[in-house]
Amino acid sequence: MLNYPLMSNNILHEDIDSLIDFLKHTDRFTNGPKVREFEEAWSGWLGVKHSLFVHSGSSANFMTMAGIREIYGKGEVIVPAITWESDIASIIRADLVPVIVDVDFKNLAMDTKEILGRITKKTKAVFLSHILGFNGLSNELLKVLQEKNILLVEDVCESHGATFRNEKGKIKKCGSVGFVSNFSFYYAHHISTIEGGMICTNDDRFYQYMRMFRSHGMLREADDLDFRQEWLKQYPELKEEFLFTVPGFNMRSTELNAVIGLSQLRRLDTIIDKRRENYQLFIEHLDSERYYTEFDNEGNSNYAFVVLLREPDKELFQRIVRVLSEEKVEFRRGTAGGGNQVRQPYVQKYIPGILAEEFPRAEHIHDYGLYIGNYPGLEEEKILAVCRLLNAV
Ligand SMILES: Cc1ncc(COP(=O)(O)O)c(C=O)c1O
């Protein structure tokens, strides 16, 4: 029995020790100086001007789309068929129109040509997901978005530390390229604050809006005094303490989660390196005749190994699922978000008439793809054993 979980040992003693130490010496628990410290440390690590800590990657998605709708008005947002539920749900909830496009096998992200083919005058944003550690950006895409003044939102919830090489050959971290980017610190991700997420941007105005959206839409959450004055001048009859500018949420996290995040951030780069090594070993030993292995590995920061059949062979896939279950290897079918979102009831309800078959590559991944864990403490022998198992099924 391989006994191979999706994730192991993600919260370490050093994280718990720093939390206990913090608890002994603080009397402030809700969003405060530690959250601020974590946000600043994260901005430094990523290379962006502003970061805002929220209580999940999905909160980050919902706030981002609400902010885009609030500032830029109604329109369409291009989003992939392979992504997380909240990427599409956030567009729907913000009263924007999701335009779903198919993905590319090489990085499981939206196919650039498909995106370009769906851009219209109504396109407000492209909401790109970097799936399972693969960079999803291309220089061609960035060029067109810039020319057409379309916002790029990067979902980096599964890909902390993945990188992209821009047209000048400069290596940039995914999440530092777009207008805004969202991260998740859920338990199984690269680092964890148990639950948590981050919204990152270089845009001062959007950042002020995100600060307000995080806390009930309240003006006093904005920390730019000129920005505050603009609002106060318009509403002199309202009290500064209770000026609700936008239809906001309460998406705040706590000092406790930020302390865990700060402790984890110290080892993030080491974790990424270890996972890259694991991934390399896995991909080199997997049978490339049976499994798709030509992923675009440059800048990959993987936290789960993708097992994707080349051919649509239902019986073989069932055997793989059975053998992995017998060996107690934990897996998730369909890869990120369980596969083609178009098959899900919420998409069928809100985009009536959309057909799953219009997304053939997402369909193939849905039926013949899965992922298994890649965590820092994963033993070399276990990686080789799971490859032997998959190759022999
Ligand atoms: C691509 C992607 N986006 C967003 C999320 C949502 O993150 P969270 O679980 O922190 O809400 C996830 C899921 O974990 C995800 O995989």
Side-chain angles (χ1 to χ4, degrees), residues 45 156 159-163 173-174 183 190 268 272 276 299-301:
W45 178 83
V156 205
S159 303
H160 316 51
T163 59
K173 281 196 176 115
C174 293
F183 288 82
H190 294 65
L268 177 56
I272 290 170
R276 277 203 180 118
N300 174 16
S301 174

Side-chain angles (χ1 to χ4, degrees), residues 46 48 130 137 154 156 162 173-178 180-181 183 200-201:
L46 184 62
V48 293
H130 298 282
L137 295 171
E154 294 178 78
V156 205
K173 281 196 176 115
C174 293
S176 68
V177 179
V180 52
S181 65
F183 288 82
C200 311
T201 185

Side-chain angles (χ1 to χ4, degrees), residues 55-62 82-87 127-132 155-159 182-189 194-197 303 336-337 371:
H55 60 46
S56 73
S58 293
S59 318
N61 286 348
F62 283 109
I82 300 279
T83 186
W84 194 253
E85 175 267 349
S86 61
D87 291 60
F127 195 176
L128 183 141
S129 293
H130 298 282
I131 298 294
L132 294 173
D155 178 333
V156 205
C157 289
E158 303 185 355
S159 303
N182 298 338
F183 288 82
S184 163
F185 306 124
Y186 180 60
Y187 178 72
H189 292 167
I194 306 176
E195 295 278 1
Y303 84 97
Y371 69 77

Side-chain angles (χ1 to χ4, degrees), residues 161-229:
T163 59
F164 160 70
R165 189 189 292 269
N166 73 12
E167 58 180 6
K168 291 185 189 130
K170 198 164 175 230
I171 306 283
K172 303 271 292 177
K173 281 196 176 115
C174 293
S176 68
V177 179
F179 170 72
V180 52
S181 65
N182 298 338
F183 288 82
S184 163
F185 306 124
Y186 180 60
Y187 178 72
H189 292 167
H190 294 65
I191 60 167
S192 176
T193 55
I194 306 176
E195 295 278 1
M198 200 71 92
I199 302 177
C200 311
T201 185
N202 288 318
D203 190 278
D204 297 338
R205 188 166 146 85
F206 193 76
Y207 173 65
Q208 294 303 320
Y209 269 86
M210 287 299 97
R211 291 188 65 87
M212 298 192 298
F213 265 107
R214 179 172 66 177
S215 291
H216 316 283
M218 286 201 284
L219 181 66
R220 66 173 138 110
E221 289 295 323
D223 64 358
D224 176 332
L225 296 184
D226 293 337
F227 179 89
R228 285 225 291 251
Q229 277 309 318

Side-chain angles (χ1 to χ4, degrees), residues 63 66 212-218 244-251:
M63 286 171 59
M212 298 192 298
F213 265 107
R214 179 172 66 177
S215 291
H216 316 283
M218 286 201 284
F244 298 98
T245 56
V246 290
F249 308 99
N250 180 354
M251 302 291 205

